[in-house]
């Protein structure tokens, strides 16, 4: 029986087709013993193993066996039921992880964008409750600077100098600050700052255009705009607040393959969420 390469299971009326090796990821589990006819709970009918359990939840069991990772939908709520199913199949490392719901549940993430216009410049300050999101945004946003003399700036025939990228200001792990627009500096020099936000390749200098592109990027990334307010009317400062449910970091199971510890599994976080 265990020599079969392809195994068919009917769990609560839902049919699953998998490999023999997948079911033997944890040799001490009931699914592995099933292949050797060592468990009477599993009936072999017409070449298929019949199991009188929840077929919908078994799909998560199969996903775990195939990937050795726990990855659940953001709207998943049946942690206790899935834990019982994992215990039934003898997958105790998975059951232990499911008992720690706080590691697997999605978290509400808040992000604020503050925007103000000061003469020919626009000021942006982005704050997020999740530092990994801020780091990802910092990688998407690039500020370029260009300097020209006052005379050259107004001349339509002047050749544009190459744009030099500037590092973004990072006051902390949770925020990022940048400027765009033009300003007059000492020595009759105009300084221009352009902003580019990936995957858009444009270099924008107008603050309103940059704001529109930034807000659109956040909406496409799954954020939802929940409020807009003026925080300083004299400075024309506006605050845009977003939220989204952020999926928990993936959790992987490390299976030790040494002869002394065959079938022993340990859990670890496959990703580390900074600032949590």
């Amino acid at each position: 029986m265990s020599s079969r390469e392809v195994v068919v299971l009917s769990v609560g009326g839902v049919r699953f087709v998998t490999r023999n090796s997948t079911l033997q990821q944890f040799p001490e589990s009931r699914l592995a013993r099933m292949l050797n006819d060592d468990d009477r709970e599993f009936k072999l009918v017409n070449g298929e193993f019949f199991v009188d359990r929840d077929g919908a939840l078994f799909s998560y069991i199969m996903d775990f066996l195939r990937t050795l990772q726990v990855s659940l939908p953001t709207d998943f709520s049946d942690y206790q039921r899935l834990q019982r199913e994992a215990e039934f199949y003898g997958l105790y490392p998975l059951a232990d992880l499911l008992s720690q719901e706080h590691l697997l549940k999605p978290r509400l993430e808040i992000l604020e964008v503050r925007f103000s216009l000061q003469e020919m410049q626009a000021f942006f300050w982005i704050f997020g409750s999740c530092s990994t999101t801020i780091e990802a945004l910092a990688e998407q946003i690039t500020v370029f600077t260009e300097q020209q003399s006052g005379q050259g700036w107004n001349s339509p025939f002047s050749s544009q100098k190459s744009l030099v990228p500037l590092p973004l200001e990072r006051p902390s792990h949770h925020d990022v600050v940048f400027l765009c627009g033009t300003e007059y500096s000492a020595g009759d020099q105009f300084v221009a700052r352009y902003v580019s936000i990936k995957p858009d390749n444009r270099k924008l200098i107008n603050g309103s255009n940059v704001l529109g592109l930034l807000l659109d990027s956040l909406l496409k990334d799954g954020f939802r705009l929940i409020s807009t307010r003026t925080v300083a009317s004299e400075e024309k400062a506006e605050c845009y607040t977003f939220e989204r449910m952020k999926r928990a970091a993936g959790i992987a199971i490390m299976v030790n393959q040494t002869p002394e510890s065959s079938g022993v599994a340990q859990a670890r976080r496959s990703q580390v969420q900074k600032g949590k």
Side-chain angles (χ1 to χ4, degrees), residues 2-67:
S2 60
S3 62
R4 290 186 177 186
E5 182 179 359
V6 177
V7 181
V8 181
L9 301 94
S10 177
V11 184
V14 183
R15 194 168 182 266
F16 296 88
V17 181
T18 186
R19 297 172 62 93
N20 182 302
S21 57
T22 300
L23 297 176
Q24 295 195 45
Q25 289 279 19
F26 298 87
E28 302 303 320
S29 71
R30 297 182 73 176
L31 290 171
R33 298 199 308 269
M34 170 193 73
L35 299 174
N36 298 313
D37 283 337
D38 288 344
D39 198 315
R40 296 182 179 180
E41 189 73 33
F42 303 89
K43 306 295 183 181
L44 187 60
V45 181
N46 297 326
E48 299 183 7
F49 287 100
F50 173 76
V51 191
D52 189 17
R53 302 295 293 191
D54 191 306
L57 291 178
F58 190 72
S59 64
Y60 300 114
I61 300 288
M62 285 304 308
D63 182 66
F64 167 73
L65 290 174
R66 287 166 176 155
T67 65

Side-chain angles (χ1 to χ4, degrees), residues 3-244:
S3 62
R4 290 186 177 186
E5 182 179 359
V6 177
V7 181
V8 181
L9 301 94
S10 177
V11 184
V14 183
R15 194 168 182 266
F16 296 88
V17 181
T18 186
R19 297 172 62 93
N20 182 302
S21 57
T22 300
L23 297 176
Q24 295 195 45
Q25 289 279 19
F26 298 87
E28 302 303 320
S29 71
R30 297 182 73 176
L31 290 171
R33 298 199 308 269
M34 170 193 73
L35 299 174
N36 298 313
D37 283 337
D38 288 344
D39 198 315
R40 296 182 179 180
E41 189 73 33
F42 303 89
K43 306 295 183 181
L44 187 60
V45 181
N46 297 326
E48 299 183 7
F49 287 100
F50 173 76
V51 191
D52 189 17
R53 302 295 293 191
D54 191 306
L57 291 178
F58 190 72
S59 64
Y60 300 114
I61 300 288
M62 285 304 308
D63 182 66
F64 167 73
L65 290 174
R66 287 166 176 155
T67 65
L68 294 182
Q69 292 187 1
V70 184
S71 180
L72 301 173
T74 55
D75 59 350
F76 186 82
S77 60
D78 290 334
Y79 293 93
Q80 292 185 351
R81 290 182 59 210
L82 184 56
Q83 181 186 351
R84 287 198 299 267
E85 294 301 295
E87 290 173 347
F88 170 82
Y89 293 109
L91 297 170
Y92 297 108
L94 173 59
D96 291 341
L97 286 177
L98 290 167
S99 68
Q100 306 177 62
E101 295 182 22
H102 65 282
L103 296 178
L104 301 171
K105 285 184 176 180
R107 302 180 182 184
L108 181 64
E109 181 180 358
I110 301 296
L111 187 141
E112 284 191 355
V113 176
R114 293 198 178 190
F115 166 74
S116 64
L117 287 172
Q118 301 173 4
E119 297 181 352
M120 299 297 292
Q121 282 192 318
F123 171 84
F124 291 85
W125 177 74
I126 305 174
F127 172 85
S129 60
C130 178
S131 62
T132 54
T133 297
I134 295 300
E135 289 183 6
L137 277 173
E139 293 179 358
Q140 290 178 254
I141 301 172
T142 305
V143 177
F144 298 90
T145 184
E146 176 190 21
Q147 292 188 5
Q148 289 191 15
S149 66
Q151 181 179 1
W153 184 268
N154 295 321
S155 172
F157 304 104
S158 62
S159 59
Q160 188 181 53
K161 296 182 179 180
S162 60
L163 302 181
V164 179
L166 288 176
L168 299 180
E169 294 184 38
R170 296 293 307 277
S172 75
H173 292 297
H174 289 272
D175 55 0
V176 61
V177 176
F178 61 92
L179 296 169
C180 71
T182 61
E183 66 175 336
Y184 179 79
S185 63
D188 196 29
Q189 292 283 321
F190 274 103
V191 178
R193 290 186 178 89
Y194 301 81
V195 174
S196 176
I197 304 177
K198 297 177 181 178
D200 194 294
N201 294 320
R202 291 174 297 171
K203 296 179 177 62
L204 305 175
I205 194 171
N206 181 278
S208 297
N209 293 339
V210 174
L211 176 64
L213 179 58
L214 176 60
L215 300 185
D216 184 61
S217 299
L218 293 174
L219 293 172
K220 290 180 178 178
D221 201 28
F223 281 97
R224 183 173 66 94
L225 181 64
I226 59 174
S227 70
T228 302
R229 68 184 191 275
T230 300
V231 293
S233 57
E234 294 181 358
E235 297 179 359
K236 299 181 180 179
E238 301 171 351
C239 180
Y240 300 82
T241 304
F242 294 82
E243 70 174 16
R244 72 173 175 182

